[in-house]
Amino acid sequence: MNITTEQLFDDARTHNAWLDRPVPDELLHRLYDLMKWGPTSANCCPARILFVKTPEAKARLVPCMSEGNQAKTAAAPVTAIIGMDMHFYEKLPQLFPHNPEARSWFEGKPEVIHSTAFRNSSLQGGYFIMAARALGLDCGPMSGFDAPRVDAEFWLGTAVKTNFICNLGYGDPSQLFPRSPRLAFEQACRIV
Amino acid sequence: MNITTEQLFDDARTHNAWLDRPVPDELLHRLYDLMKWGPTSANCCPARILFVKTPEAKARLVPCMSEGNQAKTAAAPVTAIIGMDMHFYEKLPQLFPHNPEARSWFEGKPEVIHSTAFRNSSLQGGYFIMAARALGLDCGPMSGFDAPRVDAEFWLGTAVKTNFICNLGYGDPSQLFPRSPRLAFEQACRIV
């Protein structure tokens, strides 16, 4: 499918106000079917995603958000909770079939599990945002929420922990703030 | 610039073997000028990138890699060390100018600093991989290396810690392994 770099990077903005235009479930399936191809270490794919769409589920999520994130989360057609499965290594026999040892690189090693799950589910969060934009959706990623409360409300009985939360929909460009500056190449990069 | 979703997602592969085709510095600048637009919380932009290109710098990096990553890192035209600046909040007056309080959300709070730097530099790592692919480059991201040794060798005297390392260049498609499977939508996602 043809897209542009402007659509993903230069012209894409974080949105806080949403047009009254629904996001069909089919688009959420297409979003996952793009983002899933992004690379993770040992193909561990730790990200788990809850697409919160119904008024009932939204009503459980909104009070978990920090005050400044409540109204926009209530208004967004979909809010994705991007979690990380702390038992991701149990799926390695399916995901990394050519090395039956892979599971043992993680099992019983909480620090390696945590850093691998956190790094790779965040990488997948980056793929998620790019895939959403590729499909014409706008994103509003947030890290201001009560994480233990979201975990208890949405991931109870699983080994999944919330990483970040991202509103999805069609943003209202008239409500955008002026764009914040970025670091110059020389501030962020060096070629050696 | 026109690109395709296949180029970023469906057809893109992690490469381990590299064609003898150089990557000009100008392309590394273009890569940063795309990825820098990706969203981070409070626009904190914690990622710092060292593009290791010269034989001298490569000779310092290769012994820091785990054994299975050494030959491919030596062969890649460029290897990017993606770091996270643990003093990222010192740049918030530049990056988040509309709220002069932003620095105080982090200063003296090592846990918030660590999770914010790790999550957001990993998100930026996802943008980095997508931006590289958008420019026609192939990526070989790796987390198998001696992180304290890379930090001591490349970030000494700074507050930057290595997050992950990514080979860059033009991959040799004849050397690709068969693609590993991904989780089905139902295994990774739910709509509620």
Side-chain angles (χ1 to χ4, degrees):
Chain A
M1 188 177 72
N2 292 316
I3 54 171
T4 67
T5 50
E6 289 76 12
Q7 178 184 347
L8 299 189
F9 298 105
D10 312 62
D11 296 345
R13 297 291 308 279
T14 288
H15 280 265
N16 298 302
W18 304 97
L19 301 175
D20 186 19
R21 181 178 164 193
V23 175
D25 288 1
E26 186 257 339
L27 207 53
L28 304 178
H29 281 262
R30 286 176 64 200
L31 199 176
Y32 177 69
D33 281 334
L34 285 177
M35 69 154 281
K36 72 179 180 186
W37 294 120
T40 53
S41 63
N43 195 33
C44 65
C45 303
R48 302 290 178 268
I49 304 167
L50 265 181
F51 293 104
V52 178
K53 222 183 143 176
T54 63
E56 296 71 30
K58 270 293 181 77
R60 289 161 54 212
L61 177 58
V62 169
C64 305
M65 305 304 294
S66 62
E67 218 180 299
N69 288 332
Q70 293 191 354
K72 55 191 176 187
T73 300
V78 181
T79 304
I81 305 175
I82 285 105
M84 44 189 169
D85 187 352
M86 296 309 189
H87 289 172
F88 67 85
Y89 50 85
E90 290 179 355
K91 295 217 158 54
L92 288 176
Q94 174 189 349
L95 293 171
F96 206 64
H98 53 287
N99 192 331
E101 299 291 299
R103 201 181 150 129
S104 71
W105 302 338
F106 302 100
E107 206 160 22
K109 296 170 184 163
E111 270 186 53
V112 187
I113 289 172
H114 181 265
S115 64
T116 303
F118 195 23
R119 176 184 299 110
N120 286 281
S121 67
S122 301
L123 279 171
Q124 289 184 283
Y127 310 147
F128 174 95
I129 291 170
M130 293 293 130
R133 290 173 169 181
L135 294 170
L137 290 165
D138 292 305
C139 295
M142 300 168 287
S143 48
F145 53 85
D146 181 338
R149 192 169 164 187
V150 176
D151 291 350
E153 195 66 59
F154 289 95
W155 302 114
L156 201 69
T158 75
V160 181
K161 301 286 173 203
T162 304
N163 184 340
F164 73 101
I165 293 179
C166 186
N167 287 323
L168 284 178
Y170 298 93
D172 180 353
S174 75
Q175 303 293 310
L176 284 170
F177 302 116
R179 189 161 211 174
S180 293
R182 296 298 192 271
L183 298 174
F185 183 91
E186 293 68 27
Q187 292 184 287
C189 306
R190 219 152 33 98
I191 303 175
V192 293
Chain B
M1 188 176 73
N2 292 316
I3 56 172
T4 68
T5 49
E6 289 77 12
Q7 177 185 346
L8 299 189
F9 298 106
D10 312 62
D11 297 344
R13 297 291 309 278
T14 287
H15 280 265
N16 298 302
W18 303 98
L19 301 176
D20 186 19
R21 181 179 163 192
V23 175
D25 288 0
E26 186 258 340
L27 207 53
L28 304 178
H29 281 262
R30 286 177 63 200
L31 199 177
Y32 177 70
D33 281 334
L34 285 177
M35 68 154 280
K36 71 178 180 188
W37 294 119
T40 53
S41 63
N43 195 35
C44 64
C45 304
R48 303 289 179 268
I49 304 167
L50 265 181
F51 293 105
V52 178
K53 222 183 143 174
T54 63
E56 297 71 29
K58 269 293 182 76
R60 289 161 54 212
L61 177 60
V62 169
C64 305
M65 304 305 294
S66 63
E67 218 179 300
N69 288 333
Q70 293 192 352
K72 55 191 177 188
T73 300
V78 180
T79 305
I81 305 175
I82 285 105
M84 44 188 168
D85 187 352
M86 296 308 190
H87 289 171
F88 68 85
Y89 51 86
E90 291 180 353
K91 296 217 157 55
L92 288 177
Q94 174 189 349
L95 293 171
F96 207 66
H98 52 287
N99 191 332
E101 299 291 299
R103 202 182 149 128
S104 71
W105 302 337
F106 301 100
E107 205 159 21
K109 296 168 185 164
E111 271 186 53
V112 187
I113 289 171
H114 181 266
S115 63
T116 303
F118 195 22
R119 176 185 299 110
N120 286 281
S121 67
S122 301
L123 280 171
Q124 289 184 283
Y127 310 146
F128 175 95
I129 290 170
M130 294 292 128
R133 289 172 170 182
L135 293 169
L137 289 166
D138 291 305
C139 294
M142 300 169 287
S143 48
F145 53 85
D146 182 338
R149 191 168 166 189
V150 176
D151 290 350
E153 195 67 58
F154 288 94
W155 303 114
L156 200 70
T158 75
V160 182
K161 301 286 173 202
T162 303
N163 184 340
F164 73 100
I165 292 179
C166 186
N167 286 325
L168 285 177
Y170 298 93
D172 180 352
S174 74
Q175 304 292 309
L176 284 170
F177 302 116
R179 191 164 209 172
S180 294
R182 295 299 193 271
L183 299 175
F185 183 91
E186 293 68 27
Q187 292 184 287
C189 305
R190 219 152 34 97
I191 303 175
V192 294

